[in-house]
């Protein structure tokens, strides 16, 4: 599939409806832009998950101290 869009003021563009439908995108998604070694641009759609979003979705192989995990998560988010 090839779809062409324009670049508008402030370098904004529109994600075509064909792409939105194909990847089930909504406004909660973000786009990661990557320039490959060959000079091509690749896009990846993703949702950022908060700690609350992750709770109950993943299983650990070993016990986890949730207080330490939350502390580490917040420290990493703040840089």
């Amino acid at each position: 599939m090839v779809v062409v869009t324009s670049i508008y003021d402030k370098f904004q563009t529109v994600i075509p409806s064909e792409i939105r439908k194909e990847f089930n995108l909504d406004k909660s998604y973000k786009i990661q832009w990557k320039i490959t070694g060959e000079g091509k641009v690749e896009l990846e759609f993703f949702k950022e998950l908060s700690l609350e979003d992750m709770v109950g979705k993943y299983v650990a192989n070993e016990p986890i101290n949730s207080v330490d995990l939350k502390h580490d998560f917040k420290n990493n988010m703040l840089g």
Side-chain angles (χ1 to χ4, degrees):
M1 171 187 329
V2 175
V3 182
V4 177
T5 61
S6 297
I7 298 174
Y8 300 101
D9 293 335
K10 299 180 184 179
F11 296 95
Q12 295 175 336
T13 192
V14 173
I15 301 170
S17 63
E18 298 91 339
I19 302 295
R20 294 192 311 265
K21 290 175 186 173
E22 178 73 22
F23 293 96
N24 296 315
L25 300 176
D26 59 39
K27 293 180 182 181
S28 66
Y29 280 83
K30 294 191 177 225
I31 303 172
Q32 177 178 300
W33 299 72
K34 177 182 177 183
I35 300 174
T36 68
E38 296 81 35
K40 302 275 186 179
V41 177
E42 294 179 356
L43 303 178
E44 183 176 342
F45 302 107
F46 68 96
K47 284 188 178 187
E48 283 190 352
L49 297 176
S50 68
L51 183 59
E52 289 76 22
D53 292 332
M54 291 184 247
V55 170
K57 290 188 178 184
Y58 302 97
V59 177
N61 294 329
E62 57 188 56
I64 295 175
N65 181 322
S66 61
V67 174
D68 290 342
L69 180 63
K70 189 170 184 177
H71 178 264
D72 292 345
F73 181 78
K74 284 185 177 181
N75 284 341
N76 287 332
M77 293 299 291
L78 298 175

